[in-house]
Amino acid sequence: MEIFQWPHLNLLFSSMLIVVVLAADPYSDALLSFKSEIIDTFHNLDDWLEPNSGNPSGKVHACSWSGVKCDNNSPIVIGLNLSTKKLAGKLPGKQFSVFTELVELNISQNSFSGEIPVEIFNLTNLRSLDISRNNFSGHFPGGVTGLQSLVVLDAFSNSFSGPLPVELSKLEFLKVLNLAGSYFSGPIPSAYGFFKRLEFLHLAGNFISGNIPPELGNLQTVTHMEIGYNSYEGNIPWQLGNMSELQYLDIAGSNLSGSIPKQLCNLTKLQSLFLFRNQLTGLIPWEFSRILALTNLDLSDNFISGPIPESFAALKNLRLLSLMYNEMNGTVPDGIAELPSLDTLFIWNNFFTGSLPRNLGKNSKLRWLDVSINSFIGSIPPHICAGGELFKLIMFSNKFTGNLSPLSNCSSLVRIRLEDNSFSGEIPLTLSHLPDVSYIDLSRNKFTAGIPSDISQASKLQYFNVSNNPELGGVIPEETWSLPLLQNFSASSCNISGNLPPFKSCKSMLVVELQKNNMSGVVPKSVSHCQALEIINLASNQLDGHIPDELASLPALSVADLSHNNFSGSIPAEFGKSTNLLLLNVSYNDISGAIPSEKVLQSMGRSAYVGNRELCGAPLRSCSASMSIFGSKGTGKLRLVLLLSAGVTILIAALLFWLVYLRKGNKGQWKMESFIGLPQFTANDVLRSFSSADSMEELPPLYAAVCKAVLPTGITVLVKKIEWEPKRMKVAIEFITQMGNARHRNLIRLLGFCYNNHMAYMLYDYLPNGNLAEKVTMPRDWSTKCRIITGIARGLCFLHHDWNPAISHGDLNSSTIVFDDNFEPRLADFGFKYLIELIKGRSSEAIKDELYMDIYRFGEIILEILTNGRLTNGGEIVQSKPQDVVLREIYSENEATDDSTNSLQDEIKQVVDVSLLCTRSRPADRPSMKDALKLLSGLKGQGKQ
């Protein structure tokens, strides 16, 4: 009986075992374990849950979870897509052993860090692996050959280092390889030329060096290759001309030299060729005309010479032609104007001559034309706007003539820059027909017939400049100030007459420049509406009446030049209450009364007030007494006693001076020069204030930490010592005087200097609030960073452009940027390095090189501020990486990675763009500080507070 029952028991046991196996859910368990080991701050994996009731049916719960894909015919996980889930932490590896059938793994656009777990390479069925836009680091691990089915490997934008993994070349099914935007170094392995099925190769933006291997020319299946933004050596291999399927080639920013190999013309399927920002020389091969599919050609920022090949007329598909920043010459071939697809032509900063092709714009929908900084002559092509889409027309700094009639119906224009030419006639722009125009610069030409009367109809206009058109004439149209977005209005030296129109609405206005005209009447009190106004220059006109209190009360006003007019009355006391005022000039008017006693007004210097016969008070003559003591009715005896007393005092002082400094040897008598802001101390007063009264030689040597001293009135100064040979004293004093007269709120003040034939002690403002090097790592909100960056830019711009002759800083770095009590940056040590070289006999012609270096260092300081000190001397680093990689890193460091921070990202990109321009390798390619400051204008600084 018992024997009969055993088979039934065995069958029951087997059935229970099957149920247990079916009930198990290893995929869900593995994913829950995976979830427990990573960081999911934003709870994007909250739906990864197992029901409390268990799993009696054997269901794979993970198949219903976000990011998990199962096979349609069986409960097997074949795909895992965790892209953009905002996950972080170190990527765990042991759980991957469960996913033996996984075909796709996508963990891109998260914040995973650390090394890649090698367990991933055991997923033998994997066809697509996307780990891009994370922060994986270390060497790319070995073992990738285990992924024998892999078709796509995307590791873009991480922090990998070390050599490029050679093993990848053994993946015979690989079609997409993206290792761009990391820190891979060393050469490209020659084995990368032996992929069998590769179609997409992206290695840009690393630290790859060495020669580009000619073996890459063997890649007969590749259609897209980006290997730029690295630091190669040597030339472009001619063998790349064998990549017969290539449609896109980018080797920009790569330090390549030599000429462009004509064998590239064999790439007959090539649509885009980007070789800009290298050191290529020679001519553009005329054979490029054979690449009939070519759509985008950018060879800018090289040393290419010669003309534009006439054969380019055959490139009927060409849309972008960029040859800017080269050494090209000759004329623009007429065939360029016949290209039916051309929409962007950049040929600026070359040596082109002749006229532009007459039919330019007639045969295509031209959108952007920039031919500035050449030697073109002739007029604007008559059909330039025929396509109806021209929105940027940039032609400044040439020798163009004629009128602007071709632009009369160009309604698509947004930006017009025609300054520094010889255009003439009236300005025919019907501004009411330019609904989107925001920038117009027509300065330094020969226009007549006045400013267009309908300027107030250009509702998006932000910048308008017609300065230095001496025969322009006319008046300022009545509604000019009502433009809602207008920030800059410049019309100096234009022979404009009439009155200033009422400032009805000028809430955006920052700059008004109307100096050297024939304007009359008063300054309207409605100027009070211009609450953002920073600069107003009305000098050299015929304006009269009182200076309105409303002007003096503007909160942002930093420069007000009202000199050489007929103003009367007193100086408004409100000027003295301003915290931003840097320059007030009321010289040569009919102003009377006392100069207000506030420090900011007395620091302007005599030149700001001279030419007003009835004006008195410091820094002019005193107003306190109606008559000087020598003009009083006192007796002659009193006068004689006072004169004798004064003479004796002077004699004693002279003897003391001689006795004190006789001990100093034959270095000559000490003298004192004071600038604005320092009381009129004698050399003796200053020398006695030093920490060592007996020997000035004990002061710190040149380039050491400066000495601090307290002068007789309690003023604390920093003292810097400099020595010279007697024959160099004159040139040194002249330059120090130039430095001392430089006054700007973003410069530390040189208050004076005490000197003899062999040395000088330079006295600077003492600012005890530290420098940028000490504070750059401290977290700052975006508005503070903007204020620091623009403050530094303003200081440099003043030195380079607003002081004549220009002064270079010479040693700009985070240690020479100090902060005042309002945390406003001030540039210290400006001009000091140049002064040293000047004393040594260096030629003043070298100042141009120093100005260029200032600009480069400014770009690096921007990066240092944006990265909270991570990038110091980072110019070469950012130039060698793709811009989107740089931006991603900086967005993260400034908490601008969310979709809600688009406006902040826009501002960060604007600032990063300026840093990239300033750190360009060729000095002549960098913007001037004036242009850099313009590019930074409009920053709102509205980041996370």
Side-chain angles (χ1 to χ4, degrees):
M1 183 71 176
E2 291 178 357
I3 295 175
F4 179 75
Q5 291 179 343
W6 269 107
H8 297 280
L9 183 61
N10 190 38
L11 181 62
L12 177 62
F13 178 77
S14 299
S15 300
M16 291 175 64
L17 182 62
I18 292 170
V19 169
V20 170
V21 172
L22 290 174
D25 186 356
Y27 298 116
S28 301
D29 291 342
L31 289 175
L32 288 173
S33 174
F34 176 89
K35 176 184 174 183
S36 70
E37 294 186 33
I38 64 173
I39 300 170
D40 182 17
T41 304
F42 296 92
H43 306 287
N44 285 318
L45 302 182
D46 277 2
D47 66 327
W48 285 21
L49 296 170
E50 276 191 318
N52 296 328
S53 58
N55 191 20
S57 64
K59 179 180 180 182
V60 176
H61 294 292
C63 291
S64 62
W65 295 350
S66 59
V68 180
K69 181 180 180 181
C70 292
D71 186 90
N72 292 330
N73 300 317
S74 60
I76 298 173
V77 175
I78 60 171
L80 188 59
N81 186 348
L82 303 180
S83 176
T84 65
K85 297 285 188 183
K86 301 180 181 178
L87 306 175
K90 187 174 181 179
L91 189 69
K94 62 180 183 293
Q95 295 86 353
F96 287 114
S97 61
V98 174
F99 299 93
T100 56
E101 302 299 321
L102 200 66
V103 174
E104 177 189 2
L105 176 59
N106 186 345
I107 55 172
S108 65
Q109 299 187 61
N110 286 290
S111 298
F112 289 117
S113 57
E115 296 185 352
I116 291 288
V118 294
E119 290 86 349
I120 287 181
F121 299 152
N122 295 325
L123 303 174
T124 56
N125 289 302
L126 201 64
R127 293 174 56 82
S128 177
L129 175 60
D130 190 345
I131 58 174
S132 63
R133 293 181 170 87
N134 281 284
N135 196 30
F136 291 115
S137 58
H139 288 207
F140 198 90
V144 70
T145 52
L147 303 177
Q148 282 299 317
S149 300
L150 199 65
V151 176
V152 175
L153 174 58
D154 191 348
F156 173 75
S157 190
N158 278 281
S159 297
F160 291 114
S161 57
L164 291 165
V166 182
E167 284 182 289
L168 294 172
S169 61
K170 298 179 181 179
L171 300 177
E172 61 177 309
F173 295 104
L174 196 65
K175 292 184 177 181
V176 174
L177 175 58
N178 191 342
L179 300 177
S182 273
Y183 301 97
F184 288 112
S185 57
I188 298 175
S190 58
Y192 277 22
F194 299 100
F195 286 104
K196 296 179 180 180
R197 294 178 173 83
L198 197 66
E199 297 176 1
F200 181 99
L201 177 61
H202 195 353
L203 306 175
N206 283 286
F207 291 153
I208 301 172
S209 57
N211 292 298
I212 297 175
E215 288 83 358
L216 294 184
N218 297 329
L219 297 173
Q220 301 289 315
T221 57
V222 169
T223 62
H224 185 115
M225 185 165 78
E226 293 183 64
I227 57 174
Y229 296 99
N230 286 294
S231 297
Y232 301 115
E233 300 169 7
N235 305 343
I236 301 172
W238 64 264
Q239 289 87 348
L240 298 188
N242 294 330
M243 301 175 69
S244 56
E245 295 298 316
L246 199 61
Q247 299 175 21
Y248 187 105
L249 177 60
D250 186 344
I251 326 179
S254 296
N255 196 43
L256 294 168
S257 56
S259 59
I260 301 172
K262 63 181 181 180
Q263 288 84 354
L264 295 185
C265 72
N266 295 329
L267 305 174
T268 55
K269 296 183 179 181
L270 194 66
Q271 298 175 10
S272 296
L273 177 60
F274 298 108
L275 301 177
F276 60 86
R277 205 180 299 169
N278 280 291
Q279 299 181 45
L280 301 173
T281 55
L283 306 179
I284 299 175
W286 66 267
E287 292 90 346
F288 270 19
S289 59
R290 298 175 185 171
I291 312 176
L292 299 180
L294 198 61
T295 302
N296 301 298
L297 178 61
D298 192 340
L299 307 178
S300 61
D301 199 0
N302 280 288
F303 297 98
I304 297 170
S305 56
I308 300 173
E310 296 274 354
S311 61
F312 273 21
L315 300 175
K316 302 300 184 183
N317 291 303
L318 196 65
R319 294 183 56 195
L320 164 68
L321 177 59
S322 180
L323 306 174
M324 64 187 187
Y325 274 124
N326 275 292
E327 298 176 355
M328 299 184 68
N329 54 30
T331 61
V332 178
D334 288 340
I336 296 295
E338 307 300 323
L339 298 177
S341 301
L342 189 68
D343 64 25
T344 303
L345 178 60
F346 294 157
I347 55 174
W348 53 289
N349 209 344
N350 279 285
F351 300 99
F352 290 117
T353 55
S355 301
L356 293 177
R358 178 175 175 79
N359 288 335
L360 189 62
K362 182 178 181 180
N363 299 300
S364 69
K365 295 184 180 299
L366 196 62
R367 302 186 71 245
W368 192 337
L369 175 66
D370 194 335
V371 300
S372 55
I373 317 178
N374 281 287
S375 296
F376 286 115
I377 59 174
S379 57
I380 298 174
H383 309 291
I384 196 73
C385 296
E389 296 187 9
L390 186 67
F391 76 103
K392 288 190 178 182
L393 178 62
I394 317 294
M395 304 176 71
F396 65 85
S397 297
N398 278 284
K399 301 175 183 178
F400 287 114
T401 56
N403 56 45
L404 304 189
S405 57
L407 307 183
S408 58
N409 294 310
C410 210
S411 61
S412 57
L413 280 170
V414 172
R415 194 173 183 88
I416 307 170
R417 293 194 61 181
L418 306 178
E419 68 267 27
D420 192 19
N421 280 288
S422 295
F423 289 115
S424 59
E426 66 174 339
I427 301 173
L429 301 178
T430 306
L431 294 174
S432 58
H433 295 166
L434 296 176
D436 296 316
V437 69
S438 64
Y439 193 107
I440 299 176
D441 194 337
L442 307 177
S443 60
R444 287 172 286 164
N445 279 287
K446 300 176 181 179
F447 290 114
T448 59
I451 296 169
S453 59
D454 64 343
I455 186 173
S456 61
Q457 301 298 311
S459 60
K460 294 184 180 179
L461 189 62
Q462 299 178 29
Y463 183 97
F464 183 79
N465 190 348
V466 291
S467 295
N468 294 293
N469 282 280
E471 299 177 16
L472 184 64
V475 300
I476 298 176
E478 186 73 14
E479 302 294 327
T480 298
W481 314 129
S482 65
L483 286 164
L485 302 178
L486 188 62
Q487 298 179 4
N488 189 107
F489 183 90
S490 299
S492 59
S493 300
C494 287
N495 197 29
I496 293 173
S497 57
N499 299 339
L500 276 171
F503 292 90
K504 294 179 180 178
S505 174
C506 50
K507 62 181 181 179
S508 299
M509 188 70 70
L510 301 176
V511 177
V512 174
E513 295 175 325
L514 292 169
Q515 65 270 27
K516 297 181 181 179
N517 283 296
N518 293 312
M519 302 186 67
S520 57
V522 302
V523 177
K525 293 184 177 182
S526 55
V527 72
S528 61
H529 294 145
C530 305
Q531 290 292 295
L533 190 65
E534 296 179 0
I535 297 173
I536 185 167
N537 193 335
L538 303 176
S540 301
N541 279 283
Q542 300 175 31
L543 299 168
D544 54 27
H546 290 194
I547 299 172
D549 292 343
E550 291 80 1
L551 175 62
S553 301
L554 293 176
L557 193 65
S558 60
V559 175
D561 193 341
L562 309 176
S563 61
H564 295 274
N565 277 286
N566 300 315
F567 290 114
S568 57
S570 60
I571 297 174
E574 285 77 6
F575 277 126
K577 301 173 185 177
S578 173
T579 58
N580 290 310
L581 192 64
L582 302 173
L583 172 67
L584 173 66
N585 191 345
V586 295
S587 60
Y588 299 98
N589 280 283
D590 293 322
I591 295 172
S592 58
I595 298 171
S597 59
E598 284 80 6
K599 181 180 179 181
V600 65
L601 296 182
Q602 296 191 3
S603 69
M604 297 295 170
R606 288 177 52 84
S607 60
Y609 303 108
V610 297
N612 294 282
R613 289 182 300 173
E614 298 183 22
L615 189 63
C616 60
L620 301 181
R621 67 183 187 280
S622 172
C623 302
S624 58
S626 60
M627 195 175 296
S628 72
I629 189 167
F630 297 106
S632 68
K633 296 181 181 179
T635 64
K637 289 183 179 180
L638 176 61
R639 192 178 308 168
L640 180 61
V641 168
L642 291 172
L643 285 170
L644 287 172
S645 298
V648 171
T649 301
I650 292 171
L651 179 61
I652 292 172
L655 287 170
L656 286 172
F657 234 76
W658 181 76
L659 289 171
V660 169
Y661 298 111
L662 185 62
R663 293 179 298 166
K664 300 295 178 182
N666 61 353
K667 290 189 176 182
Q669 184 176 359
W670 287 90
K671 298 178 182 179
M672 182 68 205
E673 291 290 339
S674 298
F675 302 118
I676 297 170
L678 186 70
Q680 296 296 315
F681 296 122
T682 65
N684 193 32
D685 292 331
V686 173
L687 295 171
R688 286 177 182 274
S689 300
F690 291 163
S691 57
S692 173
D694 294 329
S695 176
M696 289 158 292
E697 315 310 327
E698 296 177 9
L699 285 170
L702 197 62
Y703 283 120
V706 293
C707 165
K708 183 172 73 172
V710 181
L711 300 182
T713 60
I715 297 175
T716 301
V717 296
L718 292 179
V719 183
K720 210 163 194 178
K721 176 185 175 183
I722 189 167
E723 297 180 348
W724 53 56
E725 294 293 328
K727 64 182 180 181
R728 304 300 298 171
M729 181 178 73
K730 181 179 179 182
V731 68
I733 289 174
E734 288 176 352
F735 188 73
I736 294 173
T737 302
Q738 184 185 352
M739 293 166 63
N741 288 324
R743 284 290 182 266
H744 190 276
R745 68 177 173 184
N746 295 113
L747 301 180
I748 193 170
R749 295 190 301 174
L750 175 59
L751 299 172
F753 65 106
C754 184
Y755 69 99
N756 65 19
N757 290 340
H758 290 264
M759 69 177 69
Y761 295 106
M762 300 169 67
L763 313 180
Y764 291 91
D765 260 335
Y766 174 63
L767 299 179
N769 298 304
N771 59 43
L772 180 62
E774 299 166 346
K775 299 180 183 296
V776 72
T777 59
M778 298 172 62
R780 302 285 177 194
D781 59 58
W782 178 241
S783 61
T784 301
K785 290 182 178 180
C786 282
R787 189 173 77 248
I788 294 171
I789 291 169
T790 54
I792 297 167
R794 289 191 182 103
L796 285 174
C797 187
F798 178 83
L799 292 176
H800 289 200
H801 300 285
D802 297 332
W803 199 256
N804 187 22
I807 299 177
S808 68
H809 186 285
D811 190 26
L812 187 67
N813 60 72
S814 56
S815 297
T816 58
I817 298 167
V818 297
F819 295 102
D820 63 17
D821 292 337
N822 298 316
F823 207 70
E824 184 75 22
R826 295 193 180 217
L827 307 185
D829 290 352
F830 64 87
F832 196 79
K833 178 183 175 183
Y834 181 71
L835 174 61
I836 302 299
E837 299 300 323
L838 198 63
I839 290 170
K840 293 178 180 178
R842 180 185 177 189
S843 171
S844 61
E845 294 176 0
I847 189 69
K848 186 176 182 181
D849 294 334
E850 293 290 350
L851 297 177
Y852 282 137
M853 184 53 65
D854 280 355
I855 296 165
Y856 186 89
R857 287 175 174 157
F858 172 64
E860 292 195 317
I861 284 171
I862 290 177
L863 296 169
E864 192 170 351
I865 293 170
L866 293 183
T867 62
N868 302 318
R870 175 176 62 83
L871 279 179
T872 57
N873 303 318
E876 290 187 8
I877 293 174
V878 296
Q879 292 290 350
S880 66
K881 299 182 73 173
Q883 187 172 351
D884 58 343
V885 176
V886 175
L887 285 171
R888 184 180 66 84
E889 294 171 351
I890 293 178
Y891 288 157
S892 177
E893 288 166 318
N894 290 274
E895 299 182 28
T897 54
D898 299 338
D899 293 339
S900 60
T901 58
N902 286 341
S903 61
L904 175 56
Q905 288 185 358
D906 289 344
E907 291 207 348
I908 291 174
K909 184 179 185 302
Q910 183 178 347
V911 177
V912 170
D913 285 345
V914 173
S915 73
L916 291 173
L917 288 171
C918 291
T919 54
R920 296 173 77 108
S921 57
R922 285 200 299 178
D925 295 348
R926 299 166 197 159
S928 67
M929 278 312 305
K930 181 176 287 187
D931 288 338
L933 186 57
K934 281 182 182 179
L935 292 169
L936 291 169
S937 64
L939 290 176
K940 297 181 175 63
Q942 295 174 348
K944 292 186 178 182
Q945 302 297 315

